[in-house]
Amino acid sequence: MHTIEIMEDFFFIQRGYLNGNHFVYRSADPLLIDTAYIGDFDATEQSITNLGVDLSRVRQIITTHAHCDHVGGNKIIQDRSGCDIAMHRIGKYFMDIRDDWATWWRYYDQEADFFDCTRPLDDGDLVSIGPHEFQVIYTPGHASDGIVLYSPREKILLSSDTLWENDMPAITVRVEGSRAVFSLLESIEKIEKLDVKVVYPGHGRPFTDVPSAISSAKRRVSRFFENPKRIGNGVLRKIIIYTLMMKRTVQEDAFFAYLMGTPWFEETVDLYFNSAYEKKYHQVMHDFFQRGIVKRRDGSLYTTVKP
């Protein structure tokens, strides 16, 4: 975990591969952006309180999208503090109707809690983080309620999961819609038009070579169009690792059966790999073992990727 003060009293906290990065504005009325994964909330709380922020005094949380790795602490903090929570109006709708499918939670068998969104956000809205003003930019693709936050004055972009430095998040067309890849490309092109000096992403370290990251992202999307199986491979690889991180360890002889019992695994293999469930599972796991990403211990599996 790594903390950087990016503006006066405004801090970026870098987490791992599972937990989304988050932000803390330290003041008498603290504000947070994203709250990581619920299973690691103790570490989230520690990182925030280390900055001198009392969670019971938080006045607002801004949520970049409703996936579990970004909203895990929302309900806990809201219950303690009574804080407002702002998110895109589509995400607010998911919260209002308690939709655990569109949020990925039930689809991917993830852990999260519903909370009360008190402020819907739209493309072009302005949000104040103390004296710092950010524009809300709607960026669907990875998440249908995804937003990024942009400071024209400081030329800073909080890019959430729309733009990473060297990778791309999972694209779930069965939840986000068949045009999700097209939406993602449009969102990247929106970001490309901005004057940005530094990006603070939803996962990974901050970066300044924004043109290179955008070019890389556009190349990856173009490869999705050329070969949709790349989308399926990305989903299988990322969600299997996320699952191992969330569960810490799983019994090796039960893991395939567990995956077959989830909505996402069977549907992904049906869509991209002609229902070859066992074959595809063993291909992915063999590669993980070869690369040391997944290891065995006393009949259990675990991942070496840091959450």
Side-chain angles (χ1 to χ4, degrees):
M1 200 177 302
H2 184 53
T3 302
I4 302 170
E5 187 171 13
I6 61 176
M7 296 177 175
E8 185 177 0
D9 287 320
F10 186 44
F11 297 87
F12 166 79
I13 302 176
Q14 183 179 336
R15 301 296 294 270
Y17 193 63
L18 168 60
N19 287 279
N21 298 331
H22 43 98
F23 300 81
V24 178
Y25 178 65
R26 182 176 60 192
S27 72
D29 297 308
L31 179 146
L32 310 177
I33 302 174
D34 290 349
T35 59
Y37 178 58
I38 193 171
D40 291 316
F41 180 74
D42 287 348
T44 300
E45 180 173 19
Q46 186 65 54
S47 69
I48 294 171
T49 56
N50 283 346
L51 293 171
V53 171
D54 181 347
L55 290 183
S56 68
R57 297 182 60 86
V58 170
R59 289 295 167 261
Q60 184 174 189
I61 298 171
I62 299 173
T63 294
T64 61
H65 60 290
H67 294 167
C68 76
D69 54 327
H70 293 259
V71 303
N74 281 21
K75 185 177 189 302
I76 299 171
I77 297 169
Q78 189 174 54
D79 285 348
R80 288 191 198 177
S81 66
C83 67
D84 288 322
I85 297 181
M87 64 193 308
H88 191 269
R89 60 183 175 84
I90 291 175
K92 176 178 171 22
Y93 176 74
F94 297 157
M95 294 301 117
D96 289 347
I97 67 169
R98 299 304 193 246
D99 186 339
D100 63 356
W101 188 271
T103 57
W104 287 20
W105 307 348
R106 181 158 51 97
Y107 186 73
Y108 283 127
D109 191 28
Q110 298 172 342
E111 184 182 8
D113 285 329
F114 289 106
F115 51 87
D116 294 327
C117 175
T118 57
R119 180 186 174 187
L121 298 174
D122 274 299
D123 190 52
D125 284 352
L126 298 177
V127 295
S128 295
I129 301 172
H132 315 300
E133 191 169 75
F134 284 80
Q135 295 177 358
V136 174
I137 301 174
Y138 178 48
T139 55
H142 168 64
S144 55
D145 64 327
I147 60 170
V148 302
L149 300 175
Y150 173 58
S151 168
R153 179 178 177 179
E154 303 294 337
K155 300 180 181 178
I156 286 174
L157 179 70
L158 315 185
S159 69
S160 188
D161 290 353
T162 303
L163 182 67
W164 295 350
E165 184 177 18
N166 297 309
D167 198 2
M168 183 168 288
I171 307 298
T172 310
V173 300
R174 285 301 199 228
V175 177
E176 308 302 341
S178 296
R179 79 177 310 275
V181 180
F182 293 89
S183 297
L184 178 60
L185 179 59
E186 291 165 2
S187 295
I188 294 167
E189 289 171 342
K190 273 188 182 181
I191 290 174
E192 190 173 23
K193 296 175 182 177
L194 304 175
D195 184 6
V196 179
K197 286 186 176 179
V198 59
V199 174
Y200 295 89
H203 298 264
R205 65 184 184 181
F207 57 92
T208 56
D209 191 352
V210 185
S212 177
I214 289 173
S215 295
S216 175
K218 290 172 75 172
R219 283 195 301 272
R220 290 174 188 272
V221 172
S222 71
R223 290 198 289 266
F224 288 158
F225 290 133
E226 294 164 4
N227 183 2
K229 288 184 178 181
R230 290 180 178 270
I231 303 172
N233 276 319
V235 169
L236 290 171
R237 298 175 65 82
K238 286 182 167 62
I239 303 303
I240 285 174
I241 294 299
Y242 290 159
T243 299
L244 290 172
M245 285 191 289
M246 290 172 191
K247 294 183 177 297
R248 312 303 184 190
T249 63
V250 298
Q251 290 297 306
E252 182 172 10
D253 60 4
F255 192 40
F256 174 71
Y258 161 76
L259 293 174
M260 286 296 293
T262 64
W264 75 272
F265 181 81
E266 187 172 349
E267 190 168 73
T268 301
V269 181
D270 283 344
L271 180 61
Y272 297 106
F273 304 107
N274 300 315
S275 306
Y277 310 118
E278 286 196 62
K279 178 181 178 182
K280 197 62 193 175
Y281 170 77
H282 288 299
Q283 284 178 349
V284 172
M285 297 304 292
H286 176 74
D287 179 63
F288 285 159
F289 291 134
Q290 289 287 101
R291 296 172 60 193
I293 294 172
V294 175
K295 293 189 176 183
R296 298 178 171 96
R297 181 172 54 212
D298 300 327
S300 295
L301 301 175
Y302 67 98
T303 179
T304 57
V305 180
K306 295 185 183 300

